[in-house]
Amino acid sequence: MVRPASHTRVRLWLGGLASAGVALSHFLAFLVATPDHAARSDLLSQTGHGYWPYFIAVALGALVAGLVGFAGERAWGEADGAGFRSLYRFTAIRLLVLQAVGFLLLEGAERLIVHGSLDGLLSEPVVIIGLLVQAAVALAGALLLVLFVRVVDRVRALFRRSARPPRVALPRGPLAFTPPPLPVAGGGPAPRAPPALP
């Protein structure tokens, strides 16, 4: 999908996209686990989510940075000719791993801050639902990202095509050039050259 020299930048951009996926999936998981607004607010406050508005702002910024980074890599990088499936597989696997790990780290840190313990973290319904939602959002996000990359590739191809100088068709075969006759004073025909001596 990308050139080897750009792997570090791509990891950073994927991390930005994954953080947005974690934020969205986190919200959806709590929405599914506790549909009632009041109960959900209580659960969020009990599990240390007071920072949530700030995290959403950071995740949105990371999403924009990730999309701009990928667009720039595709627009000014070298075309690699990767197919749709390989692009999707590359992105989906990395987003799945990053989002699952990010979600578990986030939930674990919240439990440590509030309760001082990680007991029963993986058995909590909201965490189980959250991991499933993370997987669904990662797969959907990878698909949207690949479609976005395809659009950038099309725009790049259009700009490169329009920037090429126009091709000039030259006649094939040897070129013969016959100079026009030189004008003579008085308007008569041009004098002929003397005959060659034997």
Side-chain angles (χ1 to χ4, degrees), residues 35-110:
D36 182 67
H37 178 70
R40 186 167 61 253
S41 298
D42 289 341
L43 179 61
L44 287 171
S45 63
Q46 292 170 8
T47 51
H49 287 82
Y51 69 94
W52 198 240
Y54 306 103
F55 182 73
I56 293 294
V58 171
L60 288 175
L63 173 64
V64 172
L67 289 176
V68 170
F70 263 104
E73 182 70 29
R74 298 297 295 193
W76 287 284
E78 300 206 359
D80 53 16
F84 183 90
R85 289 185 180 179
S86 60
L87 286 173
Y88 182 76
R89 186 168 53 249
F90 174 93
T91 309
I93 291 173
R94 282 154 182 81
L95 287 182
L96 280 168
V97 173
L98 287 172
Q99 288 185 211
V101 171
F103 178 71
L104 289 175
L105 289 175
L106 194 62
E107 290 297 316
E110 290 163 357

Side-chain angles (χ1 to χ4, degrees), residues 19-33 40 44 47-49 51-52 55-56 99 102-104 106-108 110-111 126-127 129-131 133-134 137:
S19 67
V22 168
L24 175 62
S25 303
H26 195 288
F27 169 75
L28 293 175
F30 275 83
L31 189 64
V32 171
R40 186 167 61 253
L44 287 171
T47 51
H49 287 82
Y51 69 94
W52 198 240
F55 182 73
I56 293 294
Q99 288 185 211
F103 178 71
L104 289 175
L106 194 62
E107 290 297 316
E110 290 163 357
R111 301 307 187 279
V126 71
V127 174
I129 293 172
L131 287 173
V133 174
Q134 290 291 339
V137 169

Side-chain angles (χ1 to χ4, degrees), residues 100-181:
V101 171
F103 178 71
L104 289 175
L105 289 175
L106 194 62
E107 290 297 316
E110 290 163 357
R111 301 307 187 279
L112 284 175
I113 291 170
V114 175
H115 304 296
S117 171
L118 296 177
D119 292 341
L121 174 66
L122 296 178
S123 62
E124 290 185 23
V126 71
V127 174
I128 297 171
I129 293 172
L131 287 173
L132 296 175
V133 174
Q134 290 291 339
V137 169
L139 294 175
L143 178 61
L144 291 175
L145 181 61
V146 170
L147 294 175
F148 173 74
V149 166
R150 287 302 189 200
V151 171
V152 172
D153 286 348
R154 293 287 179 89
V155 173
R156 165 188 167 164
L158 287 175
F159 273 99
R160 292 204 170 181
R161 193 177 304 138
S162 62
R164 291 177 187 163
R167 297 181 64 184
V168 178
L170 296 175
R172 296 185 177 182
L175 296 178
F177 177 72
T178 305

